[in-house]
């Protein structure tokens, strides 16, 4: 529903009516790309379309990591609804709350033990997200799950984001994140 098969092997693209029109692929399978979503042959359209990525074949680690990087960049920009559309998971409120508690909240507790901000301050003003970055990706031995370290002001925090690749009736998707402490 809303998706049309790609002419390239292994990847189902979102319906162009939903977002930007997809560009034709020059290679038969998804290729490695950097965080900005570039392939050696040109821009990969799916990183900018806002729909859960679905692969007809098990995706490569680099393709999965690119989706997670895009997800995180949308979170950092405060575009929570858009980020929620990129991966198969429940609402992202628990992720934001954990990231706050493990970064800004932990820092605020240490600095202002008696004057903590309102309990939901992290929800009203998401500007704190711009101080977070992704760290290393750490894959499990089966290559079906991994966690991404998160940094706050260039320091790795206690909270990591866990993701996994799961097969569905439509194909393979990235699921998560779970928050790992």
């Amino acid at each position: 529903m809303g998706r049309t098969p790609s002419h390239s092997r292994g990847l189902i693209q979102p319906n162009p009516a939903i977002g930007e029109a997809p560009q034709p692929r020059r290679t038969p399978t998804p290729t490695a790309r950097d965080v900005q979503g570039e392939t050696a042959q040109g821009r990969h359209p799916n990183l900018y379309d806002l729909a859960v990525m679905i692969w007809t074949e098990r995706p490569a680690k680099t393709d999965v990591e690119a989706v997670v990087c895009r997800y995180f960049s949308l979170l950092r920009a405060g575009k929570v609804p858009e980020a929620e559309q990129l991966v198969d998971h429940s609402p992202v409120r628990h992720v934001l709350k954990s990231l706050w508690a493990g970064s800004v909240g932990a820092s605020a507790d240490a600095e202002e033990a008696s004057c903590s901000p309102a309990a939901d301050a992290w929800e009203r003003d998401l500007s704190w997200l711009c101080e977070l970055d992704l760290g290393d990706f750490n894959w499990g031995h089966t290559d079906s799950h991994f966690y991404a370290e998160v940094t706050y002001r260039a320091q790795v925090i206690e909270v990591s984001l866990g993701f996994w690749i799961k097969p569905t009736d439509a194909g393979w998707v990235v699921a998560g994140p779970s928050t790992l402490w």
Side-chain angles (χ1 to χ4, degrees), residues 37-59:
E38 299 293 321
T39 66
Q41 290 75 33
R43 192 179 140 275
H44 188 284
N46 289 317
L47 288 181
Y48 298 95
D49 294 332
L50 297 176
V52 172
M53 291 288 300
I54 299 174
W55 292 268
T56 57
E57 298 173 356
R58 184 183 186 94

Side-chain angles (χ1 to χ4, degrees), residues 1-3 12-22 43-54 66-75 77-89:
M1 173 166 128
R3 298 187 191 287
I12 297 175
Q13 297 181 2
N15 183 337
I18 297 172
E20 186 176 301
R43 192 179 140 275
H44 188 284
N46 289 317
L47 288 181
Y48 298 95
D49 294 332
L50 297 176
V52 172
M53 291 288 300
I54 299 174
V67 169
V68 170
C69 288
R70 179 69 178 140
Y71 169 85
F72 197 77
S73 70
L74 287 168
L75 279 186
K79 297 179 178 181
V80 175
E82 292 90 339
E84 288 177 316
Q85 293 179 33
L86 288 179
V87 296
D88 181 29
H89 68 90

Side-chain angles (χ1 to χ4, degrees), residues 72 103 131-135 149-157:
F72 197 77
S103 62
E131 295 192 63
L132 300 178
D133 280 307
L134 282 179
E149 293 177 339
V150 179
T151 64
Y152 172 65
R153 297 180 178 170
Q155 298 294 316
V156 176
I157 63 173

